Amino acid sequence: MPASLRSRVALLVLLGTFLIPVVTSSLRGLTHVLTCAEETEIPFTLITPASGDPVIVSSRTITRDEPEGVCGGLVLDMGVGPAGQGRVALRLPITNNTEFDWQGSVKLKLGAVVVPVDIGEIKAGETGVDTVRVTVPPGQVELNGSLLIGP
């Protein structure tokens, strides 16, 4: 093998080595790289009877003098309401109480199903909101949300 060809092959192998992490990585449905991921403390239980709309059960504990928010000042105040025909509407507002702009997503866990919902860019001092309508399976299922934040 000529020396010039050998050096070109070595250069291609070296470049290929740097591309392995890019090719094998997955954002699992996210549209941004994560810098912070924290669960919210607002679980919901959805009880769906054989006929009719789901019943929504939730509770939240508020502690005095405890700083609000996660990931350094970001607040996810998830809400659930009836949407008719065995469905619920999930309102997912993220408030950015920091001095930096962020990309935000919410990882919803409805029973065993996990779905990321992209909220998008949230400017400093503003709120980004998305609403998702979900069909709830019959029986009792728990709904949780996690805040997924990136630069």
Side-chain angles (χ1 to χ4, degrees):
M1 182 182 296
S4 64
L5 181 61
R6 196 175 319 152
S7 65
R8 288 181 184 162
V9 169
L11 182 62
L12 287 175
V13 169
L14 180 64
L15 288 174
T17 305
F18 287 116
L19 292 176
I20 289 172
V22 173
V23 173
T24 60
S25 68
S26 170
L27 293 177
R28 294 183 215 116
L30 293 177
T31 59
H32 56 87
V33 178
L34 291 181
T35 57
C36 177
E38 291 192 31
E39 286 194 26
T40 63
E41 296 296 326
I42 312 169
F44 294 91
T45 301
L46 307 173
I47 303 168
T48 307
S51 63
D53 291 332
V55 175
I56 303 165
V57 181
S58 179
S59 66
R60 181 176 184 179
T61 303
I62 299 172
T63 306
R64 183 182 296 188
D65 297 331
E66 185 174 295
E68 186 179 29
V70 293
C71 298
L74 299 161
V75 179
L76 171 62
D77 192 17
M78 211 166 68
V80 179
Q85 302 171 345
R87 297 166 49 116
V88 294
L90 308 171
R91 189 168 185 276
L92 307 167
I94 300 175
T95 302
N96 183 354
N97 293 327
T98 70
E99 56 188 55
F100 305 105
D101 297 345
W102 295 94
Q103 280 291 104
S105 296
V106 176
K107 180 175 75 173
L108 291 176
K109 185 176 180 188
L110 181 63
V113 178
V114 177
V115 178
V117 178
D118 182 29
I119 305 297
E121 183 176 3
I122 307 162
K123 301 275 186 200
E126 294 184 6
T127 300
V129 181
D130 198 358
T131 301
V132 180
R133 287 172 178 38
V134 177
T135 302
V136 182
Q140 180 174 328
V141 66
E142 188 168 315
L143 171 68
N144 283 312
S146 298
L147 189 59
L148 306 175
I149 296 297

